[in-house]
Amino acid sequence: MSDVERPRTDRVLMIAIGVGALLLGILGGHFLRHNETPVLAGSNDIPMELATAFVQIARRVEPAVVNISTVTQPPGVGSRDRSSTNNQLPFDLARPGEKEVTRGNGSGVIVDASGFILTNHHVIVGADRIKIKLADGSEYPGRIVGSDQETDLAVVKIDPKGDLPSARIGDSDRMQVGDWVLAIGSPFGLDQTVTAGIISAKDREATELRNRPSFQHFLQTDAAINRGNSGGPLINLAGEVIGINTAIATSTGDYNGIGFALPSGEAIQIYRQLTRTGRVMRGFLGVMTDPVTAQIAKVYGLEAARGAIVSIVTETYQVNGREVATPAARAGLRLGDIVVQYRGESIRSSQDLIRRVAGTPIGAEVEIKVVRSGQEVSLLTTVGTRPMSENGRQSIASAISPEEGNRGLGFDVANMPIVSARDTDLQGVSGVMVVRVEPGSVADDAELRRDDIIEQINRQSLTTAMQFKRALERVAAGQPIVLQVFRRKSTAPRRFVSLNKP
């Protein structure tokens, strides 16, 4: 081979080696891509930082979490009010057996170094003795500073020898669905138990859980909460208390994956009132309202279902032994008004309005915007003090022959019976009486009840069953029906029932 041909051969060989190396690299990369181990959320690399945060938060907050044990003597042995059994979580369907002495167990959190502790009302109500056990094992007798059954919150005080570790209160309004949280407490008496989960819902209204109006609203979490966790703190990743664990949704009495905590924003307001005066004073307007359904929105001229429709306006109430006009009456609120704004903030629901009014300072002047006959009207009034107790109404007992009703809706109506002079509850009430509601019918699903008085249908007043029948015939299939109903067997006797005509 000549000297001229040898360099040419060397170049060809080097090119071939390079191409081969390139092909091997491509094939190797392809092989590695298809065989690499994916990084999963459950692997050790990902949760390490989160686990470290959990450890640090637990160490920081646990010293401020206490165990609360109670002793309640049986009736007639110098015991207190027996309105609730200690340590039974709300919505818990389990019932303990009868005992001579009831011993309860719950949790609490120290929120002031001098010994003020937040817990649940149902943990300490009726207790004759309260014992507080701190994280270091020391024990103190506890005394009740104040308790609020409406929000199921209580403040207990102990007298320590020095300052105690206390938890920092966070802003519950800033929590978002999906945020990590820790629950700390004494489930089944097991002190300093920490569970983790996320916020699974916000603004869970008590009406969704108890089917009755309430001042409670909750953060919902899947962090494990069991009997004994009541009153313990729900903690965010900043180590702040953003809720007081209060209730569980269960049919067994134990954790089924859904727990509820009173938001810290509500809890701190109640705490301040209880430590200052020993009781809670709430704002009062003097109205009862119902949720605005899609049918109500359509019939009353709203673009969407929002706000709270006024079902009752109380004209007067007692203040220091004097009969005075209610704030609602002074403002000129009327039956059928739909409250869409309160103090400049939109009203989402009836329960939302209840909470906002209850949380308004007594004596504050407020602007209320309502939709009345399709027009927005602004009203002004001064918020009063909610009465401590309100009387309910008696039930109707009558037997009359029905006129022709509506079988498609599943109920029958009849003319109202003659009202006795002694039957003051029905004085001034006119309409038609519901005499039959078929179980499982459209009317039953809408919660219409036998003995209800239907005063209006789609804003048309009624006096006879024949009027009702004709008004119903004018409603086309699939269109909304809104009934203004008077119900004596209720703490809210006037309400709105809405449905669609089949």
Side-chain angles (χ1 to χ4, degrees):
M1 182 179 295
S2 68
D3 292 338
V4 175
E5 292 176 335
R6 185 177 291 111
R8 183 180 303 169
T9 302
D10 290 342
R11 285 197 301 273
V12 171
L13 182 60
M14 291 179 65
I15 291 172
I17 292 173
V19 170
L22 179 61
L23 290 173
L24 285 173
I26 293 173
L27 290 173
H30 180 76
F31 176 83
L32 289 174
R33 280 199 303 273
H34 282 269
N35 288 275
E36 64 185 0
T37 302
V39 178
L40 302 177
S43 71
N44 291 333
D45 294 334
I46 297 301
M48 187 60 67
E49 186 175 340
L50 185 61
T52 301
F54 284 172
V55 171
Q56 293 174 346
I57 293 164
R59 286 177 179 172
R60 187 188 315 162
V61 180
E62 277 182 329
V65 180
V66 303
N67 171 263
I68 301 177
S69 57
T70 62
V71 175
T72 303
Q73 299 291 343
V77 192
S79 55
R80 299 181 184 177
D81 173 42
R82 299 288 176 263
S83 58
S84 178
T85 303
N86 291 355
N87 191 37
Q88 294 305 303
L89 282 161
F91 323 140
D92 179 350
L93 304 184
R95 291 292 180 267
E98 292 295 329
K99 297 180 181 179
E100 291 186 0
V101 174
T102 301
R103 298 183 183 275
N105 188 69
S107 305
V109 58
I110 302 169
V111 293
D112 187 281
S114 63
F116 286 96
I117 297 167
L118 272 180
T119 187
N120 284 145
H121 166 83
H122 75 263
V123 169
I124 52 82
V125 63
D128 295 295
R129 295 199 306 275
I130 300 174
K131 182 174 69 176
I132 307 298
K133 182 180 178 182
L134 305 186
D136 62 7
S138 57
E139 296 180 350
Y140 295 88
R143 68 177 187 276
I144 299 173
V145 175
S147 187
D148 181 47
Q149 185 175 2
E150 300 284 6
T151 55
D152 199 5
L153 199 72
V155 178
V156 175
K157 179 71 168 65
I158 60 175
D159 297 312
K161 299 175 183 178
D163 286 349
L164 296 174
S166 59
R168 190 168 69 248
I169 304 297
D171 185 356
S172 54
D173 290 339
R174 297 180 64 183
M175 298 301 293
Q176 300 296 321
V177 173
D179 281 345
W180 279 98
V181 288
L182 300 182
I184 307 180
S186 304
F188 307 109
L190 302 171
D191 296 353
Q192 302 299 314
T193 297
V194 181
T195 57
I198 62 169
I199 297 294
S200 49
K202 291 185 63 176
D203 294 321
R204 186 68 78 196
E205 296 183 352
T207 48
E208 298 178 85
L209 312 173
R210 291 175 170 165
N211 197 29
R212 65 176 176 83
S214 170
F215 299 108
Q216 287 179 310
H217 64 117
F218 298 104
L219 296 171
Q220 180 178 315
T221 179
D222 65 351
I225 296 174
N226 280 292
R227 287 171 288 180
N229 272 116
S230 295
L234 193 67
I235 309 294
N236 64 14
L237 290 190
E240 301 168 328
V241 177
I242 49 84
I244 300 297
N245 299 321
T246 299
I248 57 176
T250 176
S251 58
T252 64
D254 297 321
Y255 174 69
N256 280 359
I258 298 178
F260 304 97
L262 185 73
S264 58
E266 179 79 9
I268 200 64
Q269 292 182 28
I270 303 302
Y271 166 78
R272 287 168 180 161
Q273 290 198 55
L274 290 176
T275 53
R276 188 166 56 243
T277 65
R279 63 174 184 159
V280 177
M281 305 296 289
R282 291 186 168 87
F284 174 73
L285 284 182
V287 296
M288 289 188 178
T289 60
D290 284 340
V292 176
T293 63
Q295 295 92 342
I296 291 174
K298 188 169 183 178
V299 169
Y300 280 73
L302 272 70
E303 293 181 358
R306 62 189 178 99
I309 187 166
V310 175
S311 56
I312 295 175
V313 178
T314 304
E315 295 298 326
T316 61
Y317 74 129
Q318 291 280 336
V319 176
N320 299 325
R322 296 184 299 110
E323 196 84 7
V324 300
T326 64
R330 293 196 302 269
L333 275 166
R334 301 177 188 173
L335 175 66
D337 281 349
I338 297 179
V339 180
V340 294
Q341 199 174 98
Y342 179 80
R343 300 187 80 186
E345 296 185 338
S346 297
I347 297 299
R348 301 189 306 271
S349 64
S350 179
Q351 189 72 18
D352 186 28
L353 179 63
I354 290 173
R355 289 203 308 269
R356 291 183 187 277
V357 173
T360 304
I362 310 303
E365 186 177 67
V366 298
E367 181 183 23
I368 305 168
K369 287 188 178 181
V370 304
V371 173
R372 176 183 296 168
S373 300
Q375 302 295 318
E376 193 171 275
V377 179
S378 292
L379 307 171
L380 289 175
T381 193
T382 301
V383 172
T385 303
R386 178 176 179 263
M388 297 303 292
S389 62
E390 298 172 347
N391 295 326
R393 305 253 183 169
Q394 301 300 312
S395 63
I396 294 174
S398 61
I400 56 178
S401 299
E403 299 289 339
E404 183 179 355
N406 186 283
R407 301 291 174 179
L409 293 171
F411 70 99
D412 293 318
V413 300
N415 293 327
M416 279 185 62
I418 297 175
V419 179
S420 167
R422 292 176 299 176
D423 198 355
T424 56
D425 275 355
L426 285 179
Q427 294 293 336
V429 177
S430 63
V432 297
M433 178 174 284
V434 177
V435 294
R436 184 193 71 90
V437 178
E438 181 182 333
S441 64
V442 175
D444 187 37
D445 290 345
E447 299 186 358
L448 192 68
R449 297 291 176 259
R450 184 174 184 267
D451 290 335
D452 280 351
I453 307 297
I454 301 176
E455 299 176 301
Q456 290 186 2
I457 175 172
N458 286 1
R459 306 177 69 182
Q460 176 186 334
S461 297
L462 301 168
T463 56
T464 69
M466 186 56 67
Q467 280 184 327
F468 177 79
K469 177 186 176 184
R470 290 171 179 167
L472 199 57
E473 288 173 348
R474 289 194 291 269
V475 179
Q479 292 302 302
I481 298 171
V482 177
L483 306 176
Q484 179 182 306
V485 169
F486 184 87
R487 180 177 299 168
R488 291 172 63 191
K489 194 177 181 179
S490 174
T491 55
R494 187 166 276 110
R495 60 189 61 206
F496 290 88
V497 173
S498 58
L499 57 155
N500 286 320
K501 186 174 182 180

